[in-house]
Amino acid sequence: MEKKIAVLPGDGIGKEIVQGAIEVLQTIAERFNHEFTFTYGEIGGAAYDAAGVPLPEATISLCKESDAILLGAVGGPKYDTLPVHLRPEQGLLQIRKELNLFANLRPTTYYESLADSSPLRKDIIEGVDLLMVRELTGGIYFGQPRERKVVDGKEAVVDTLYYEKAEMERVIRKAFELASARGKKVTSIDKANVLESSRVWRETAIEISKEFPEITLEHMLVDNAAMQLVRNPRQFDVVVTENMFGDILSDEASVLTGSLGMLSSASLSENGPFLYEPAHGSAPDIAGKNIANPLATMLSAAMMLRISFGLEKEAESIENAINEVLNAGYRTGDLMAEGKKSVSTTEMTAQVKSAILAGK
Ligand code: IPM
Ligand code: MN
Protein backbone atom coordinates (compact mmCIF):
# COMPACT_ATOMS: atom_id res chain seq x y z
CA MET A 1 0.00 0.00 0.00
CA GLU A 2 1.23 3.50 -0.84
CA LYS A 3 0.26 6.36 1.43
CA LYS A 4 1.18 9.97 1.71
CA ILE A 5 1.47 11.24 5.28
CA ALA A 6 1.70 14.92 6.21
CA VAL A 7 3.94 15.43 9.24
CA LEU A 8 3.54 18.51 11.41
CA PRO A 9 5.99 18.23 14.32
CA GLY A 10 5.18 21.64 15.83
CA ASP A 11 6.94 22.83 18.97
CA GLY A 12 8.69 21.67 22.12
CA ILE A 13 8.95 17.88 22.31
CA GLY A 14 6.89 17.67 19.09
CA LYS A 15 9.92 17.03 16.87
CA GLU A 16 11.35 14.28 19.07
CA ILE A 17 8.17 12.32 19.55
CA VAL A 18 7.13 12.62 15.90
CA GLN A 19 10.56 11.36 14.86
CA GLY A 20 9.98 8.28 17.03
CA ALA A 21 6.59 7.63 15.45
CA ILE A 22 7.94 8.06 11.91
CA GLU A 23 10.70 5.56 12.53
CA VAL A 24 8.09 3.15 13.80
CA LEU A 25 5.94 3.70 10.69
CA GLN A 26 9.00 3.14 8.50
CA THR A 27 9.68 -0.08 10.34
CA ILE A 28 6.10 -1.17 9.70
CA ALA A 29 6.44 -0.26 6.02
CA GLU A 30 9.59 -2.37 5.81
CA ARG A 31 8.14 -5.34 7.60
CA PHE A 32 4.75 -5.40 5.87
CA ASN A 33 5.82 -4.10 2.47
CA HIS A 34 4.16 -0.74 2.31
CA GLU A 35 5.37 2.58 1.08
CA PHE A 36 4.74 5.61 3.25
CA THR A 37 6.02 8.99 2.17
CA PHE A 38 6.39 11.72 4.76
CA THR A 39 6.08 15.39 3.84
CA TYR A 40 6.84 17.95 6.51
CA GLY A 41 4.86 21.09 7.24
CA GLU A 42 4.96 23.80 9.87
CA ILE A 43 2.38 24.48 12.55
CA GLY A 44 2.24 26.41 15.82
CA GLY A 45 5.17 28.42 17.09
CA ALA A 46 7.50 26.84 14.54
CA ALA A 47 5.22 28.12 11.77
CA TYR A 48 5.05 31.54 13.38
CA ASP A 49 8.85 31.68 13.45
CA ALA A 50 9.14 30.59 9.82
CA ALA A 51 6.12 32.26 8.24
CA GLY A 52 4.63 34.72 10.73
CA VAL A 53 1.39 32.77 11.26
CA PRO A 54 0.57 29.62 13.28
CA LEU A 55 -1.03 27.86 10.31
CA PRO A 56 0.38 28.81 6.89
CA GLU A 57 -1.65 28.15 3.73
CA ALA A 58 1.05 25.75 2.58
CA THR A 59 0.40 23.55 5.60
CA ILE A 60 -3.33 23.51 4.95
CA SER A 61 -2.82 22.46 1.30
CA LEU A 62 -0.27 19.83 2.30
CA CYS A 63 -2.78 18.33 4.76
CA LYS A 64 -5.62 18.37 2.24
CA GLU A 65 -3.47 16.56 -0.33
CA SER A 66 -2.36 13.86 2.10
CA ASP A 67 -3.93 10.57 3.10
CA ALA A 68 -3.43 11.26 6.80
CA ILE A 69 -1.75 13.75 9.10
CA LEU A 70 0.60 13.11 11.99
CA LEU A 71 0.96 16.02 14.40
CA GLY A 72 3.31 16.49 17.35
CA ALA A 73 2.36 19.29 19.72
CA VAL A 74 2.21 23.08 19.73
CA GLY A 75 2.95 25.89 22.16
CA GLY A 76 5.67 27.29 24.37
CA PRO A 77 6.42 30.15 26.77
CA LYS A 78 8.27 32.02 24.02
CA TYR A 79 4.92 32.75 22.36
CA ASP A 80 2.94 33.73 25.45
CA THR A 81 3.01 37.43 24.71
CA LEU A 82 1.81 37.15 21.11
CA PRO A 83 -1.66 38.44 20.25
CA VAL A 84 -4.22 35.64 20.51
CA HIS A 85 -4.66 35.06 16.76
CA LEU A 86 -0.93 34.41 16.32
CA ARG A 87 -0.48 32.03 19.23
CA PRO A 88 0.61 28.45 18.47
CA GLU A 89 -2.63 26.96 19.84
CA GLN A 90 -4.50 28.82 17.11
CA GLY A 91 -2.66 26.69 14.57
CA LEU A 92 -4.11 23.58 16.11
CA LEU A 93 -7.61 25.02 16.46
CA GLN A 94 -7.54 26.28 12.86
CA ILE A 95 -6.38 23.00 11.35
CA ARG A 96 -9.19 21.18 13.22
CA LYS A 97 -11.67 23.67 11.79
CA GLU A 98 -10.18 23.74 8.25
CA LEU A 99 -10.33 19.97 7.96
CA ASN A 100 -13.67 19.72 9.76
CA LEU A 101 -12.27 17.29 12.31
CA PHE A 102 -15.34 17.17 14.49
CA ALA A 103 -14.79 13.91 16.36
CA ASN A 104 -11.74 13.45 18.55
CA LEU A 105 -11.19 9.90 19.78
CA ARG A 106 -9.08 9.48 22.92
CA PRO A 107 -8.79 5.91 24.16
CA THR A 108 -7.73 4.99 27.68
CA THR A 109 -6.53 1.42 27.92
CA TYR A 110 -5.21 -0.44 30.91
CA TYR A 111 -1.63 -1.67 30.73
CA GLU A 112 -0.88 -4.28 33.37
CA SER A 113 2.78 -3.27 33.23
CA LEU A 114 2.00 0.37 34.04
CA ALA A 115 -0.23 -0.30 37.05
CA ASP A 116 2.56 1.04 39.30
CA SER A 117 2.72 4.34 37.42
CA SER A 118 -0.93 5.18 37.96
CA PRO A 119 -1.85 7.38 40.90
CA LEU A 120 -4.84 5.09 41.45
CA ARG A 121 -5.00 1.65 43.05
CA LYS A 122 -4.65 -1.31 40.78
CA ASP A 123 -8.06 -2.72 41.71
CA ILE A 124 -9.67 0.50 40.48
CA ILE A 125 -7.92 0.72 37.12
CA GLU A 126 -7.60 -2.95 36.24
CA GLY A 127 -9.28 -3.69 32.91
CA VAL A 128 -10.22 -0.09 32.10
CA ASP A 129 -10.99 0.27 28.40
CA LEU A 130 -12.77 3.47 27.59
CA LEU A 131 -12.99 5.61 24.53
CA MET A 132 -13.63 9.28 24.94
CA VAL A 133 -15.24 10.97 21.94
CA ARG A 134 -14.78 14.70 22.23
CA GLU A 135 -16.57 17.17 19.95
CA LEU A 136 -13.68 19.15 18.45
CA THR A 137 -14.83 21.98 16.21
CA GLY A 138 -17.55 23.74 18.16
CA GLY A 139 -18.65 24.95 21.57
CA ILE A 140 -16.91 27.58 23.65
CA TYR A 141 -13.64 27.00 21.79
CA PHE A 142 -15.00 28.65 18.66
CA GLY A 143 -18.18 30.58 19.53
CA GLN A 144 -18.44 34.29 18.72
CA PRO A 145 -18.28 36.86 20.20
CA ARG A 146 -15.25 36.37 22.41
CA GLU A 147 -14.02 39.66 23.74
CA ARG A 148 -13.12 41.92 26.61
CA LYS A 149 -15.35 44.93 26.97
CA VAL A 150 -16.60 47.55 29.34
CA VAL A 151 -20.22 47.26 30.47
CA ASP A 152 -21.67 50.15 32.46
CA GLY A 153 -18.17 51.25 33.31
CA LYS A 154 -17.19 47.77 34.54
CA GLU A 155 -14.51 45.61 32.97
CA ALA A 156 -16.13 42.48 31.58
CA VAL A 157 -15.43 39.58 29.27
CA VAL A 158 -17.47 37.26 27.04
CA ASP A 159 -16.82 33.81 25.62
CA THR A 160 -19.62 32.19 23.66
CA LEU A 161 -20.77 28.60 23.78
CA TYR A 162 -22.48 28.04 20.44
CA TYR A 163 -23.57 24.73 18.93
CA GLU A 164 -25.67 23.90 15.96
CA LYS A 165 -27.82 20.87 16.56
CA ALA A 166 -26.34 19.15 13.51
CA GLU A 167 -22.90 19.46 15.10
CA MET A 168 -24.17 17.61 18.14
CA GLU A 169 -25.90 14.97 16.02
CA ARG A 170 -22.88 14.02 13.96
CA VAL A 171 -20.48 13.56 16.88
CA ILE A 172 -23.03 11.71 18.99
CA ARG A 173 -23.85 9.44 16.03
CA LYS A 174 -20.13 8.75 15.65
CA ALA A 175 -19.96 7.73 19.31
CA PHE A 176 -22.85 5.30 18.85
CA GLU A 177 -21.22 3.81 15.75
CA LEU A 178 -18.01 3.28 17.68
CA ALA A 179 -19.91 1.74 20.60
CA SER A 180 -21.52 -0.77 18.22
CA ALA A 181 -18.11 -2.30 17.64
CA ARG A 182 -17.20 -2.20 21.36
CA GLY A 183 -19.05 -2.55 24.65
CA LYS A 184 -22.43 -1.28 23.33
CA LYS A 185 -22.72 1.48 25.89
CA VAL A 186 -22.58 5.25 25.42
CA THR A 187 -22.27 7.66 28.32
CA SER A 188 -23.21 11.17 27.24
CA ILE A 189 -21.73 13.82 29.49
CA ASP A 190 -23.30 17.24 29.92
CA LYS A 191 -24.31 19.89 32.43
CA ALA A 192 -28.02 19.74 31.69
CA ASN A 193 -28.94 20.97 35.16
CA VAL A 194 -27.43 24.37 34.28
CA LEU A 195 -26.73 24.86 30.57
CA GLU A 196 -29.31 25.16 27.79
CA SER A 197 -26.76 23.80 25.33
CA SER A 198 -26.45 20.71 27.52
CA ARG A 199 -30.22 20.24 27.60
CA VAL A 200 -30.26 20.22 23.79
CA TRP A 201 -27.22 17.91 23.81
CA ARG A 202 -29.11 15.47 26.05
CA GLU A 203 -32.25 15.58 23.86
CA THR A 204 -30.07 14.99 20.81
CA ALA A 205 -28.39 12.00 22.42
CA ILE A 206 -31.81 10.51 23.14
CA GLU A 207 -32.92 11.07 19.54
CA ILE A 208 -29.78 9.54 18.06
CA SER A 209 -30.00 6.57 20.42
CA LYS A 210 -33.23 5.53 18.66
CA GLU A 211 -31.11 4.73 15.58
CA PHE A 212 -29.12 2.27 17.71
CA PRO A 213 -31.55 0.11 19.69
CA GLU A 214 -28.82 -2.36 20.71
CA ILE A 215 -26.82 0.32 22.50
CA THR A 216 -27.43 1.50 26.05
CA LEU A 217 -27.40 5.26 26.51
CA GLU A 218 -26.65 6.78 29.87
CA HIS A 219 -26.44 10.48 30.79
CA MET A 220 -24.05 11.85 33.35
CA LEU A 221 -23.44 15.36 34.63
CA VAL A 222 -19.89 16.48 34.01
CA ASP A 223 -19.01 17.07 37.67
CA ASN A 224 -20.20 13.59 38.57
CA ALA A 225 -18.33 12.19 35.55
CA ALA A 226 -15.08 13.74 36.80
CA MET A 227 -15.63 11.90 40.07
CA GLN A 228 -16.78 8.61 38.52
CA LEU A 229 -13.69 8.51 36.32
CA VAL A 230 -11.46 8.06 39.34
CA ARG A 231 -13.98 6.19 41.51
CA ASN A 232 -15.04 3.49 39.05
CA PRO A 233 -13.59 4.00 35.56
CA ARG A 234 -14.50 0.46 34.45
CA GLN A 235 -18.17 1.51 34.17
CA PHE A 236 -17.37 3.45 30.98
CA ASP A 237 -17.24 2.17 27.42
CA VAL A 238 -17.72 5.04 24.96
CA VAL A 239 -18.03 8.50 26.46
CA VAL A 240 -19.24 11.39 24.31
CA THR A 241 -19.12 15.02 25.26
CA GLU A 242 -18.75 18.57 24.02
CA ASN A 243 -15.43 20.21 23.28
CA MET A 244 -14.42 21.79 26.59
CA PHE A 245 -15.72 19.02 28.86
CA GLY A 246 -13.89 16.53 26.65
CA ASP A 247 -10.65 18.47 26.85
CA ILE A 248 -10.72 18.42 30.63
CA LEU A 249 -11.99 14.88 31.14
CA SER A 250 -9.59 13.33 28.63
CA ASP A 251 -6.58 14.63 30.56
CA GLU A 252 -8.09 13.16 33.68
CA ALA A 253 -8.80 9.84 31.97
CA SER A 254 -5.26 9.58 30.64
CA VAL A 255 -3.55 9.27 34.00
CA LEU A 256 -5.80 6.39 34.99
CA THR A 257 -3.44 4.15 33.14
CA GLY A 258 -0.15 5.76 33.91
CA SER A 259 0.64 8.99 32.17
CA LEU A 260 -0.60 11.60 29.75
CA GLY A 261 2.41 10.39 27.75
CA MET A 262 0.37 7.30 26.79
CA LEU A 263 -2.76 9.04 25.50
CA SER A 264 -3.15 8.86 21.73
CA SER A 265 -5.82 10.50 19.65
CA ALA A 266 -7.48 10.48 16.27
CA SER A 267 -9.50 13.39 14.91
CA LEU A 268 -12.06 12.45 12.30
CA SER A 269 -14.10 14.32 9.72
CA GLU A 270 -16.80 13.01 7.40
CA ASN A 271 -14.46 12.14 4.52
CA GLY A 272 -10.86 12.56 5.64
CA PRO A 273 -8.02 13.16 5.73
CA PHE A 274 -7.90 12.43 9.45
CA LEU A 275 -5.40 13.81 11.89
CA TYR A 276 -3.49 11.84 14.53
CA GLU A 277 -1.72 13.40 17.50
CA PRO A 278 -0.83 12.63 21.09
CA ALA A 279 -3.26 14.30 23.49
CA HIS A 280 -0.45 15.81 25.56
CA GLY A 281 1.17 19.19 25.01
CA SER A 282 4.56 20.37 23.83
CA ALA A 283 6.19 20.10 27.29
CA PRO A 284 8.67 22.95 26.69
CA ASP A 285 10.40 22.23 30.03
CA ILE A 286 11.73 18.90 28.76
CA ALA A 287 12.06 19.76 25.05
CA GLY A 288 15.34 18.89 23.36
CA LYS A 289 16.48 16.69 26.24
CA ASN A 290 15.66 13.38 24.59
CA ILE A 291 13.55 12.30 27.58
CA ALA A 292 9.99 12.73 26.29
CA ASN A 293 7.70 9.72 26.02
CA PRO A 294 7.12 8.95 22.31
CA LEU A 295 4.55 6.20 22.97
CA ALA A 296 1.38 8.34 22.70
CA THR A 297 2.53 9.48 19.26
CA MET A 298 3.36 5.92 18.21
CA LEU A 299 -0.05 4.78 19.46
CA SER A 300 -1.59 7.61 17.43
CA ALA A 301 0.31 6.30 14.39
CA ALA A 302 -1.20 2.87 15.10
CA MET A 303 -4.65 4.49 15.08
CA MET A 304 -3.75 6.02 11.70
CA LEU A 305 -2.91 2.62 10.28
CA ARG A 306 -6.15 1.13 11.57
CA ILE A 307 -8.63 3.94 10.94
CA SER A 308 -7.29 5.75 7.86
CA PHE A 309 -5.60 2.86 6.04
CA GLY A 310 -7.51 -0.19 7.34
CA LEU A 311 -4.19 -1.85 8.26
CA GLU A 312 -5.33 -3.76 11.31
CA LYS A 313 -2.45 -6.18 11.75
CA GLU A 314 0.09 -3.42 11.24
CA ALA A 315 -1.66 -1.35 13.93
CA GLU A 316 -1.61 -4.33 16.26
CA SER A 317 2.05 -4.86 15.53
CA ILE A 318 2.83 -1.41 16.96
CA GLU A 319 0.53 -1.91 19.95
CA ASN A 320 1.97 -5.33 20.72
CA ALA A 321 5.51 -4.04 20.38
CA ILE A 322 4.78 -1.25 22.86
CA ASN A 323 3.23 -3.74 25.24
CA GLU A 324 6.30 -5.95 25.05
CA VAL A 325 8.70 -3.09 25.61
CA LEU A 326 6.72 -1.98 28.66
CA ASN A 327 6.56 -5.55 29.93
CA ALA A 328 10.32 -5.75 29.55
CA GLY A 329 10.53 -2.81 31.98
CA TYR A 330 11.59 0.05 29.71
CA ARG A 331 10.25 3.41 30.86
CA THR A 332 10.65 7.06 29.94
CA GLY A 333 10.79 9.47 32.90
CA ASP A 334 7.04 10.13 33.08
CA LEU A 335 6.40 6.41 33.67
CA MET A 336 9.42 5.62 35.78
CA ALA A 337 8.82 3.38 38.79
CA GLU A 338 11.09 1.47 41.10
CA GLY A 339 12.99 -1.42 39.56
CA LYS A 340 12.34 -0.31 35.96
CA LYS A 341 14.84 0.60 33.27
CA SER A 342 14.95 4.30 32.54
CA VAL A 343 15.40 5.05 28.83
CA SER A 344 15.59 8.10 26.60
CA THR A 345 13.20 8.94 23.77
CA THR A 346 15.55 7.49 21.16
CA GLU A 347 16.25 4.34 23.20
CA MET A 348 12.53 3.78 23.66
CA THR A 349 12.06 4.21 19.91
CA ALA A 350 14.82 1.70 19.17
CA GLN A 351 13.21 -0.80 21.55
CA VAL A 352 9.81 -0.48 19.90
CA LYS A 353 11.32 -0.83 16.42
CA SER A 354 13.16 -3.99 17.29
CA ALA A 355 10.07 -5.42 18.97
CA ILE A 356 8.13 -4.77 15.73
CA LEU A 357 10.75 -6.53 13.65
CA ALA A 358 10.92 -9.45 16.09
CA GLY A 359 7.11 -9.67 16.43
CA LYS A 360 4.99 -12.49 15.10
C1 IPM B 1 -5.73 19.31 23.45
C2 IPM B 1 -5.04 20.59 23.82
C3 IPM B 1 -5.59 21.72 22.98
C4 IPM B 1 -7.06 21.82 23.28
C5 IPM B 1 -4.91 23.07 23.17
C6 IPM B 1 -3.41 22.99 22.98
C7 IPM B 1 -5.50 24.14 22.29
O1 IPM B 1 -5.16 20.84 25.17
O2 IPM B 1 -5.61 18.89 22.28
O3 IPM B 1 -6.38 18.71 24.29
O4 IPM B 1 -7.46 22.46 24.27
O5 IPM B 1 -7.85 21.25 22.52
MN1 MN C 1 -6.18 19.25 26.29
Side-chain angles (χ1 to χ4, degrees):
M1 184 179 280
E2 280 180 33
K3 291 291 174 192
K4 187 170 174 216
I5 301 171
V7 182
L8 315 180
D11 308 316
I13 58 171
K15 289 184 183 55
E16 303 158 64
I17 54 176
V18 155
Q19 178 60 28
I22 285 183
E23 288 182 30
V24 158
L25 284 170
Q26 277 162 338
T27 308
I28 290 289
E30 188 182 317
R31 192 171 160 214
F32 294 89
N33 259 314
H34 299 300
E35 200 180 313
F36 301 142
T37 52
F38 301 95
T39 312
Y40 285 77
E42 305 276 18
I43 195 168
Y48 174 77
D49 290 339
V53 285
L55 185 67
E57 280 299 327
T59 302
I60 301 174
S61 338
L62 167 67
C63 291
K64 288 186 174 164
E65 287 158 13
S66 301
D67 298 307
I69 302 143
L70 182 68
L71 192 145
V74 299
K78 181 176 158 196
Y79 308 103
D80 280 353
T81 52
L82 285 178
V84 178
H85 69 285
L86 294 177
R87 291 184 56 148
E89 292 76 12
Q90 287 303 315
L92 191 54
L93 299 179
Q94 284 169 21
I95 193 80
R96 290 172 179 171
K97 202 71 178 171
E98 278 290 335
L99 300 176
N100 217 354
L101 301 166
F102 65 87
N104 180 228
L105 281 45
R106 298 186 166 183
T108 300
T109 359
Y110 173 71
Y111 289 87
E112 173 88 46
S113 56
L114 293 183
D116 292 346
S117 306
S118 173
L120 296 181
R121 285 201 320 266
K122 188 172 176 186
D123 62 296
I124 292 179
I125 57 175
E126 213 162 15
V128 166
D129 179 13
L130 74 88
L131 177 63
M132 190 146 328
V133 180
R134 166 188 175 194
E135 200 292 323
L136 202 62
T137 50
I140 201 163
Y141 269 65
F142 294 94
Q144 296 291 344
R146 39 204 313 112
E147 62 191 2
R148 296 164 190 239
K149 55 184 186 176
V150 176
V151 178
D152 297 336
K154 290 173 290 196
E155 268 188 66
V157 59
V158 192
D159 279 304
T160 302
L161 200 175
Y162 175 88
Y163 265 116
E164 287 168 17
K165 190 165 159 78
E167 295 178 296
M168 298 183 179
E169 284 167 358
R170 63 183 182 180
V171 71
I172 294 170
R173 186 172 290 112
K174 175 62 74 182
F176 274 88
E177 285 164 8
L178 291 161
S180 307
R182 295 176 41 106
K184 306 223 170 353
K185 179 177 170 190
V186 170
T187 306
S188 168
I189 294 176
D190 62 39
K191 188 72 184 171
N193 52 348
V194 177
L195 299 178
E196 200 55 34
S197 55
S198 280
R199 286 189 274 274
V200 175
W201 180 278
R202 196 173 275 219
E203 284 162 27
T204 308
I206 292 168
E207 285 160 23
I208 299 289
S209 73
K210 303 205 168 102
E211 298 169 21
F212 300 87
E214 76 288 5
I215 293 178
T216 309
L217 168 66
E218 172 185 273
H219 306 281
M220 196 177 279
L221 295 172
V222 63
D223 48 351
N224 183 30
M227 189 262 282
Q228 295 297 337
L229 266 176
V230 290
R231 199 188 69 88
N232 176 18
R234 263 192 307 272
Q235 71 185 286
F236 297 106
D237 174 24
V238 173
V239 168
V240 65
T241 191
E242 66 90 45
N243 203 344
M244 175 75 111
F245 295 160
D247 178 45
I248 298 168
L249 293 178
S250 60
D251 266 38
E252 185 188 0
S254 75
V255 293
L256 294 177
T257 54
S259 154
L260 189 50
M262 296 299 295
L263 186 62
S264 56
S265 92
S267 302
L268 314 184
S269 58
E270 300 290 359
N271 302 310
F274 302 155
L275 181 148
Y276 300 83
E277 59 171 325
H280 59 69
S282 59
D285 51 322
I286 62 164
K289 296 187 177 156
N290 194 23
I291 58 175
N293 183 352
L295 297 181
T297 318
M298 293 175 186
L299 289 166
S300 305
M303 290 178 91
M304 175 190 293
L305 296 178
R306 173 176 293 120
I307 301 174
S308 282
F309 307 158
L311 297 175
E312 179 61 32
K313 66 176 189 309
E314 288 82 345
E316 279 172 21
S317 167
I318 297 181
E319 290 159 353
N320 293 341
I322 288 174
N323 236 325
E324 270 175 44
V325 168
L326 291 172
N327 285 337
Y330 296 101
R331 300 281 188 278
T332 42
D334 56 317
L335 296 170
M336 202 47 204
E338 223 173 291
K340 305 296 179 194
K341 299 167 217 163
S342 170
V343 291
S344 65
T345 311
T346 45
E347 282 162 349
M348 182 60 108
T349 302
Q351 289 297 335
V352 175
K353 282 160 66 180
S354 53
I356 290 171
L357 291 173
K360 282 145 252 136

